[in-house]
Amino acid sequence: MKKTNLIQIVSVIFFGLSIYAASAQQTILSSRLPVQGRAFSSAPRFHRVDTTKYRNLPPAVKKLYTHSAGLFTSFKSNTTKLSIAWETVDAELGNNATPIMSRGFDVYVKESDGWHFAGVARPDLDSAISTSTMVEHMENTEKEFLLYFPLYKELVDFKLLIDEGASFEPITQSFDKKVVVYGSSIVHGASASRPGLAYPAKLSRKLNANVVNLGVSGSARMEPAVADMLNDIDAPDLIVMDCVPNSSPQQVADRTFAFVQRLRQAHPNVPILLIESITRQVGNYNMQRKQRLADQNANFRKEYERLLAAGYKNLHYIATDHLIGDDTEGTVDGTHPTDVGFERMVDIIQPKMESILKTGKAEL
């Protein structure tokens, strides 16, 4: 018998035994819980986009939109222990990502001053099937939980395990605004340490906005089919384009104007915020990478100014300056932000978003 098959069999047995061992607990099937954070309610349950509907999306983009990045669920319970059993399509891990971010969950509890981190689900490193206790020994008072799904995997299914006899109430979060963020791996969540620390998730909690994560790692290149898909999103209050990192300088020059022009066909008055690529620290000493970044951002700025000159309104812009700090220690690999890098991004992006969402126009 092949080693991989043996591992799968052992994992299935372990998964079953884990559920059996938790027989003193209630099992809450995922079907009882609402899934939020999706652009379209018609998408498959744990997918961000129904890729069978958008046939013209590039193949890589289609696959990435099966990842559950940015999706979450909420519920109330007085359980003292919260565990989870789940399955992803495979157990592969990236070389610049934590297993918890890629294939795990994290959970928050709502307090009077906002959401507080409560625990994580650590995935099995060898099997696509995992079980994990996220938090235990809690007080048996009713709490409101916010559970973020894995960022970099297609989620097959999950079950919650709570105390026998504990209360349980699925809830749907109410938001003041809807923000759609299209972008690269940085939007997708690389390299946050856990799902709730990706910058769209952080902004959602801080702004009480439904921030829809449409990041596609390595594949945000402003194709017309992507603009058409974004045009089908109902009633966004703000569209964010953080897609410069994946586009070559020439693609930025060739596609930015047309992409915004296409978005305006369906969203003529929705504010659009264009964000330059973060200063990739891999270019600190690699002069070729440094020049590429400079050309990408310079071309993005030129296209933004060309759009303004052409009469397009309600366009807003954030330059790369200070986005991940100035100490060269804001990334995990010279390209993708750490949690510190993401926090620095939020410190700059949040006030701009707040201003736009409040008035429809950013303060100068």
Side-chain angles (χ1 to χ4, degrees):
M1 182 180 293
K2 292 183 178 180
K3 182 179 179 181
T4 54
N5 290 339
L6 180 59
I7 290 173
Q8 291 171 353
I9 291 170
V10 170
S11 298
V12 170
I13 294 172
F14 176 73
F15 184 77
L17 289 175
S18 298
I19 297 297
Y20 178 79
S23 58
Q25 295 179 292
Q26 293 184 63
T27 298
I28 308 296
L29 300 179
S30 67
S31 57
R32 292 185 58 186
L33 290 155
V35 177
Q36 293 187 260
R38 296 185 296 175
F40 308 101
S41 60
S42 60
R45 187 161 172 76
F46 302 123
H47 293 184
R48 293 179 285 169
V49 173
D50 182 356
T51 57
T52 62
K53 178 179 179 180
Y54 297 98
R55 299 181 183 277
N56 293 328
L57 291 174
V61 172
K62 287 184 179 181
K63 181 177 181 181
L64 291 165
Y65 279 144
T66 68
H67 293 181
S68 54
L71 304 190
F72 59 90
T73 193
S74 299
F75 55 93
K76 290 182 179 180
S77 178
N78 65 352
T79 187
T80 65
K81 182 177 181 179
L82 177 64
S83 301
I84 187 168
W86 76 102
E87 181 180 0
T88 53
V89 291
D90 57 53
E92 294 179 0
L93 294 169
N95 59 16
N96 63 351
T98 70
I100 295 170
M101 176 275 272
S102 179
R103 293 181 42 233
F105 296 74
D106 59 359
V107 66
Y108 288 73
V109 172
K110 193 170 190 178
E111 301 289 354
S112 59
D113 59 347
W115 292 101
H116 288 214
F117 168 71
V120 299
R122 302 170 187 263
D124 188 293
L125 297 182
D126 298 313
S127 172
I129 295 174
S130 303
T131 60
S132 179
T133 295
M134 303 189 74
V135 57
E136 57 187 338
H137 306 302
M138 294 183 286
E139 295 180 354
N140 63 346
T141 55
E142 185 178 72
K143 293 168 283 294
E144 184 173 340
F145 295 90
L146 174 64
L147 179 71
Y148 286 107
F149 297 175
L151 290 179
Y152 263 79
K153 284 296 171 185
E154 181 180 355
L155 179 62
V156 176
D157 202 1
F158 71 90
K159 302 174 184 178
L160 297 179
L161 303 171
I162 64 173
D163 295 346
E164 182 75 20
S167 63
F168 184 83
E169 178 189 356
I171 59 174
T172 300
Q173 294 295 322
S174 296
F175 296 104
D176 297 331
K177 300 288 184 179
K178 180 195 287 188
V179 177
V180 176
V181 187
Y182 166 64
S184 67
S185 55
I186 295 169
V187 174
H188 200 142
S191 292
S193 60
R194 49 186 175 83
L197 293 180
Y199 93 74
K202 290 175 70 70
L203 285 169
S204 178
R205 295 193 301 276
K206 288 175 177 288
L207 297 172
N208 190 38
N210 180 18
V211 180
V212 178
N213 184 328
L214 289 176
V216 279
S217 184
S219 302
R221 297 189 176 91
M222 295 183 282
E223 297 91 346
V226 173
D228 292 341
M229 181 269 293
L230 294 174
N231 278 344
D232 283 346
I233 297 175
D234 182 52
D237 295 290
L238 172 63
I239 297 172
V240 180
M241 293 172 55
D242 187 359
C243 46
V244 173
N246 294 156
S247 302
S248 70
Q250 192 59 51
Q251 286 174 329
V252 173
D254 292 343
R255 298 181 179 184
T256 303
F257 191 100
F259 195 82
V260 172
Q261 189 176 48
R262 206 172 188 99
L263 290 179
R264 280 288 181 243
Q265 294 174 7
H267 302 300
N269 301 310
V270 174
I272 299 176
L273 173 61
L274 294 83
I275 303 178
E276 289 184 358
S277 172
I278 62 169
T279 299
R280 296 192 173 208
Q281 295 162 354
V282 71
N284 286 349
Y285 297 99
N286 183 324
M287 294 298 100
Q288 186 177 36
R289 297 294 292 272
K290 184 174 184 178
Q291 187 61 52
R292 174 184 167 85
L293 173 72
D295 292 343
Q296 286 172 306
N297 285 339
N299 288 351
F300 203 49
R301 167 71 77 168
K302 287 177 185 177
E303 293 307 299
Y304 166 69
E305 292 174 350
R306 190 160 75 94
L307 284 159
L308 295 178
Y312 285 92
K313 307 292 185 183
N314 218 356
L315 302 180
H316 312 282
Y317 200 86
I318 294 179
T320 188
D321 305 339
H322 316 299
L323 263 178
I324 55 170
D326 303 307
D327 57 7
T328 74
E329 294 188 357
T331 69
V332 70
D333 55 5
T335 298
H336 301 96
T338 60
D339 296 338
V340 170
F342 276 131
E343 184 66 21
R344 292 169 176 176
M345 289 182 69
V346 169
D347 285 344
I348 291 175
I349 295 171
Q350 180 185 347
K352 187 82 165 183
M353 281 191 176
E354 286 176 330
S355 175
I356 295 169
L357 291 170
K358 181 178 180 181
T359 65
K361 297 179 181 180
E363 296 177 358
L364 297 177

